[in-house]
Amino acid sequence: MEKIREILSDNFIGKEVSIRGWVYRIRSSGKITFIVLRDSTEIIQCVASSENLNEAEMKDLSSLTVESSLEVSGKIRKEPRAVTGYELSISACKIYERNENFPITRDLGEEFLLDNRHLWLRSREFTAVLKIRSTVFKAFTDYFYGEEYYQVQAPMFVSTATEGGSSLFNVDYFGEKVNLTQSSQFYLETMIFSLEKVFTIAPSFRAEKSRTRRHLTEYWHAEGEAAWYSNEDMMEDEEKMIKFIIDEVLKNNLEDLKLINRDIGKLTNIKVPFQRIKYRDLINKSNEFGMNLKYGDDLGADEEYGIMVHFDNPIFVTDYPDALKTFYHRPDPDSPGELLCHDLLAPEGYGEILGGGERIYDLNEMLERIKKNGLNPEDYYWYVDLRRYGSIPHSGFGLGLDRLVMWICGLSNIRETIPYPRTIRRVKP
């Protein structure tokens, strides 16, 4: 049994092959039926003719509907008029499932397609996005294995918050209130004292009531922590990782990018190192773009879009004011009130896809920051303990893989990057 992509070659002309898949398109004309068959790799036009098949077989094939499943055998010939340049002349067939009318058709509303996501996933465009997504996940892992990081795992049920108590999902855990994790960061930090450099890919959960094009309540979070790393060390790893992922997508998914009409030049032109811009300087620069921002303003989706439409390469924004970031970021000893941290903003208006920086490693400084943020040190006893026993300088990051896929694919909404998006208004299918 061959895959369709394999047989789209002059090497198979005149050869008998067998393939199986689903009806992508079908039309019948007298004694000939044309079936475009798809599998996970490609599509091919198949021709059923009364010259090769009996009357019953022809009737069965001509009455098939879109997404019916079948297996066909026959010889390959070159056909420039066919959708992928080759054609299979059917000599034998086996029908697995004859459908009723498939409910997904053109010009259906967004809510209908979301309600029927389990069927919409079969579209060629969505299939291409999922293939690119698979490459992104694999490339992320490959890069960090190559840099001698260890892959680790952390719990999803947690008792402490990393990003803010107001955006937590609370869960009853045998009578005790716990939360779904916002990040694996704290647990990764515990492991650098033995493994030194670690990463993970896991879901994270944010109960933010955001309806922007780039927010999900459940998303896939790629995170890393490294002992002895400075803020600059971490950015160097991150930019090389982003470039590696893009190169892998260009190498493995060029046809998928073309299928979704991605401007490939936007990706081939990405260069490292990425520009570093201090938050203070970016605020000043944003006003050159006609934006009315002042020092201390948070950069949300709209602000980042307004800035990043003017860039064609990612940028690192560094040295944020301490009021804009969470308690564990290390203050810059040379710049009071600012932090040794960074966000990575993607070009073309996509904005933040990654955040990271140095973590506080001094015990007293950590306790002071916890108190300043109105948190209870007892809730973070085990995290504080890391600063009591062999504490070291270290840095880390968190990357939203769905946002990265959104940018790489040039999509307009993060919902189109993930098979089953979870937003504040959607928990099914």
Side-chain angles (χ1 to χ4, degrees):
M1 193 70 60
E2 289 83 15
K3 289 292 187 182
I4 291 176
R5 179 172 292 167
E6 297 171 3
I7 64 176
L8 298 177
S9 164
D10 286 355
N11 294 331
F12 281 85
I13 292 175
K15 292 184 178 180
E16 185 87 12
V17 300
S18 295
I19 58 174
R20 54 193 173 198
W22 297 265
V23 175
Y24 182 63
R25 288 198 297 263
I26 184 169
R27 62 184 175 89
S28 193
S29 174
K31 297 182 178 181
I32 299 178
T33 295
F34 295 92
I35 299 172
V36 177
L37 199 67
R38 70 164 183 88
D39 66 7
S40 63
T41 65
E42 254 296 356
I43 59 176
I44 188 173
Q45 179 170 286
C46 304
V47 181
S49 167
S50 56
E51 293 180 5
N52 299 323
L53 301 171
N54 61 41
E55 184 177 347
E57 290 172 324
M58 287 294 297
K59 183 178 180 181
D60 284 343
L61 287 173
S62 64
S63 62
L64 290 176
T65 58
V66 170
E67 290 303 310
S68 295
S69 52
L70 69 157
E71 177 182 320
V72 296
S73 299
K75 289 185 178 181
I76 297 294
R77 72 184 187 92
K78 200 158 191 173
E79 175 50 79
R81 295 170 297 177
V83 60
T84 45
Y86 295 87
E87 189 174 77
L88 184 149
S89 181
I90 301 174
S91 58
C93 65
K94 176 181 179 181
I95 297 172
Y96 287 94
E97 178 68 32
R98 184 189 306 278
N99 295 330
E100 299 296 329
N101 289 332
F102 191 61
I104 305 296
T105 58
R106 290 184 181 275
D107 303 321
L108 291 170
E110 181 179 305
E111 287 302 310
F112 180 89
L113 294 178
L114 285 167
D115 286 338
N116 291 276
R117 192 71 157 206
H118 55 295
L119 301 177
W120 178 236
L121 289 175
R122 303 183 188 191
S123 73
R124 291 194 74 207
E125 293 80 9
F126 216 134
T127 297
V129 171
L130 293 179
K131 289 178 180 179
I132 294 167
R133 180 184 176 92
S134 178
T135 298
V136 168
F137 275 59
K138 181 179 185 298
F140 176 87
T141 301
D142 288 347
Y143 174 81
F144 281 104
Y145 276 134
E147 294 298 312
E148 298 184 336
Y149 281 67
Y150 292 92
Q151 183 168 198
V152 295
Q153 290 75 40
M156 298 294 101
F157 294 121
V158 299
S159 58
T160 53
T162 55
E163 297 299 327
S166 63
S167 60
L168 290 165
F169 283 109
N170 303 130
V171 180
D172 178 76
Y173 194 76
F174 303 105
E176 181 180 354
K177 189 181 80 170
V178 300
N179 310 306
L180 293 177
T181 185
Q182 298 170 311
S183 166
S184 298
Q185 176 196 322
F186 289 177
Y187 294 96
L188 266 58
E189 286 188 61
T190 68
M191 299 183 216
I192 65 171
F193 293 87
S194 55
L195 298 173
E196 296 199 15
K197 297 200 294 185
V198 297
F199 76 91
T200 195
I201 296 178
S204 285
F205 306 86
R206 303 282 173 92
E208 296 173 314
K209 295 182 178 180
S210 299
R211 297 182 181 180
T212 75
R213 69 186 189 124
R214 64 179 196 173
H215 277 91
L216 295 168
T217 55
E218 176 188 2
Y219 67 98
W220 282 87
H221 210 174
E223 299 180 85
E225 296 288 326
W228 318 111
Y229 263 43
S230 68
N231 192 42
E232 180 59 34
D233 293 333
M234 199 79 259
M235 287 190 286
E236 289 177 6
D237 264 9
E238 291 161 5
E239 64 191 355
K240 287 186 288 185
M241 171 265 292
I242 295 292
K243 186 64 167 64
F244 179 81
I245 290 174
I246 290 172
D247 288 346
E248 287 296 293
V249 170
L250 289 169
K251 181 173 73 176
N252 295 291
N253 300 95
L254 200 56
E255 292 305 314
D256 299 310
L257 292 168
K258 291 177 181 177
L259 183 61
I260 60 175
N261 296 315
R262 178 54 163 142
D263 183 346
I264 295 169
K266 300 286 189 181
L267 301 177
T268 57
N269 290 332
I270 298 299
K271 301 291 187 294
V272 293
F274 300 154
Q275 183 180 3
R276 277 81 162 139
I277 304 178
K278 291 187 176 183
Y279 166 88
R280 182 187 303 274
D281 296 331
L282 187 68
I283 292 297
N284 293 333
K285 191 171 186 64
S286 70
N287 293 321
E288 298 174 12
F289 305 144
M291 304 176 71
N292 186 26
L293 296 176
K294 62 183 184 300
Y295 187 87
D297 286 347
D298 200 3
L299 300 180
D302 292 339
E303 292 78 14
E304 290 174 3
Y305 176 85
I307 292 169
M308 294 310 296
V309 290
H310 299 282
F311 289 84
D312 55 13
N313 211 55
I315 65 170
F316 281 113
V317 183
T318 66
D319 300 86
Y320 280 84
D322 60 8
L324 295 183
K325 295 293 182 180
T326 40
F327 71 91
Y328 50 77
H329 288 284
R330 185 182 174 218
D332 187 345
D334 298 322
S335 184
E338 296 182 343
L339 302 169
L340 294 167
C341 67
H342 59 270
D343 284 347
L344 182 63
L345 308 187
E348 303 174 74
Y350 281 94
E352 182 196 351
I353 57 173
L354 177 154
E358 292 188 33
R359 317 311 191 187
I360 294 173
Y361 64 92
D362 179 80
L363 174 61
N364 292 328
E365 192 170 39
M366 175 63 77
L367 291 172
E368 182 181 333
R369 288 280 290 173
I370 289 175
K371 183 178 179 181
K372 184 178 179 180
N373 281 265
L375 302 172
N376 182 0
E378 288 302 314
D379 291 339
Y380 297 89
Y381 78 93
W382 58 273
Y383 186 63
V384 172
D385 269 356
L386 303 180
R387 280 76 189 165
R388 288 193 170 99
Y389 306 107
S391 189
I392 54 169
H394 62 286
S395 297
F397 72 90
L399 166 67
L401 285 168
D402 311 293
R403 288 188 181 182
L404 178 59
V405 172
M406 181 182 172
W407 164 46
I408 289 176
C409 291
L411 300 173
S412 61
N413 197 296
I414 199 167
R415 291 193 304 262
E416 305 314 312
T417 71
I418 189 168
Y420 295 99
R422 294 295 178 251
T423 66
I424 62 173
R425 293 186 290 184
R426 181 158 296 278
V427 291
K428 66 178 185 181

mmCIF file of all heavy atoms in Angstrom, residues 1 17 154 380:
data_model
loop_
_atom_site.group_PDB
_atom_site.id
_atom_site.type_symbol
_atom_site.label_atom_id
_atom_site.label_comp_id
_atom_site.label_asym_id
_atom_site.label_seq_id
_atom_site.Cartn_x
_atom_site.Cartn_y
_atom_site.Cartn_z
ATOM 1 N N MET A 1 0.842 -1.191 0.000
ATOM 2 C CA MET A 1 0.000 0.000 0.000
ATOM 3 C C MET A 1 0.880 1.245 0.000
ATOM 4 O O MET A 1 1.750 1.387 0.867
ATOM 5 C CB MET A 1 -0.917 -0.011 1.237
ATOM 6 C CG MET A 1 -2.037 0.995 1.181
ATOM 7 S SD MET A 1 -3.324 0.603 -0.050
ATOM 8 C CE MET A 1 -3.908 -1.010 0.527
ATOM 9 N N VAL A 17 -0.381 0.403 -8.544
ATOM 10 C CA VAL A 17 -0.246 0.811 -7.142
ATOM 11 C C VAL A 17 -1.583 0.651 -6.442
ATOM 12 O O VAL A 17 -2.640 0.557 -7.090
ATOM 13 C CB VAL A 17 0.228 2.275 -7.019
ATOM 14 C CG1 VAL A 17 1.593 2.476 -7.678
ATOM 15 C CG2 VAL A 17 -0.793 3.234 -7.594
ATOM 16 N N ALA A 154 6.490 18.490 34.777
ATOM 17 C CA ALA A 154 6.032 19.111 36.013
ATOM 18 C C ALA A 154 4.542 18.839 36.188
ATOM 19 O O ALA A 154 3.845 18.512 35.220
ATOM 20 C CB ALA A 154 6.303 20.613 35.981
ATOM 21 N N TYR A 380 4.976 29.904 49.149
ATOM 22 C CA TYR A 380 6.092 29.659 48.236
ATOM 23 C C TYR A 380 7.303 29.089 48.974
ATOM 24 O O TYR A 380 8.431 29.250 48.517
ATOM 25 C CB TYR A 380 6.484 30.982 47.540
ATOM 26 C CG TYR A 380 5.382 31.545 46.672
ATOM 27 C CD1 TYR A 380 4.424 32.407 47.205
ATOM 28 C CD2 TYR A 380 5.290 31.223 45.325
ATOM 29 C CE1 TYR A 380 3.403 32.932 46.411
ATOM 30 C CE2 TYR A 380 4.267 31.738 44.525
ATOM 31 C CZ TYR A 380 3.330 32.586 45.079
ATOM 32 O OH TYR A 380 2.324 33.095 44.298
#
